[in-house]
Amino acid sequence: MDIQLWREILDPYFLAVDELKVKFQHLKSEYNNAGEYCPIDQIEGRVKSIASIIEKAQKKDIPLDEIEDRLVDIAGIRIICQFVEDIQTVVNIIKNRVDMNVIQEKDYITNSKPSGYRSYHLIIEYLVHTTKGAKKLKAEIQIRTLAMDFWATIEHSLQYKYKYNIPQTIKTRLSNAANAIIVLDNEMAAVRDEIMDAQDSLQLKDNIVSDILTNVQNLYKVANKREIIKIQDEFLKIYKDGDLYELEKFRKELDIISESYRAQSLM
Ligand code: 0O2
């Protein structure tokens, strides 16, 4: 197959990866803007390289004209979560969407691979539109925790280094590390509520401070300098004390001041 044809084949997959990344990023922003805990920590995406597609097709005895049907991970998205519990939440979010049709599920968390690999895979059908029209293609979404991702990344590099023939001593160490990852994820799950509370408060604080600063910036245009300095000093004092309740109260007061200036300017 010549390069031009590969480009034509892969182009919709690049579009799919870009779109899917934007959609999941936006989901993350929605949670953050609402000051809510987000089950998604990071999003990555890639289109499989031509070399990697050919290698996999040869390994699985797939003729090149059948790769689009039979290679389900030409487009790949990886969603990294903080906690094991978040993985099912993300799976449900995806299953409830009308723009992604789940056609296959692989639960390598309940049934980890002999290597020790753990992750939840969804194969989806996804519709993209290019100048050539609409095209339904397959994409793989891997969902796993930060800890599982750390293990998989290291193991993948070693597979590459040893050309898929990792020496037994290293395999044993990787297997031990995989078990340690299970323990780590379980320990983190036990303190999940505590961590979530802390992160929610941080996000809430960020949102409140951002609102206050926008208001102060707008007041510069209408209020007198002495009043703004007074407001800023008060804000810095409340911020230093670190009381979220007082910070929220201050935001509301500032909203009222800004609103009264807006009303005056309309008179
Ligand atoms: P790359 O380079 O990451 O793209 P199958 O369903 O078994 O017929 P397939 O496609 O091998 O066929 O499915 P599987 O086993 O679910 O693997 C899909 C992808 O999961 C792999 O893609 C890897 O990304 C990841 N994966 C699966 N097993 C392992 C493992 O033991 N270690 C690591 N690190 N990753 C794994 P590729 O194309 O193999 O690789």
Side-chain angles (χ1 to χ4, degrees), residues 46 48 56 60 106 108 113 115 121 152 155-156:
R46 61 99 184 99
K48 215 173 179 60
K56 194 159 180 174
K60 291 177 156 253
K106 298 180 191 177
Y108 297 130
K113 287 212 151 188
S115 59
H121 294 190
E155 197 259 1
H156 193 271

Side-chain angles (χ1 to χ4, degrees), residues 46 48 52 56 59-60 72-73 78 104 106 108 113 115-117 121 140 142 144 151-153 155-156 159 164:
R46 61 99 184 99
K48 215 173 179 60
S52 198
K56 194 159 180 174
K59 206 164 98 191
K60 291 177 156 253
V72 293
D73 65 340
R78 188 169 294 150
Q104 202 186 350
K106 298 180 191 177
Y108 297 130
K113 287 212 151 188
S115 59
Y117 177 76
H121 294 190
E140 180 184 74
Q142 301 183 341
R144 55 200 192 212
W151 185 94
T153 305
E155 197 259 1
H156 193 271
Q159 292 280 13
Y164 301 95

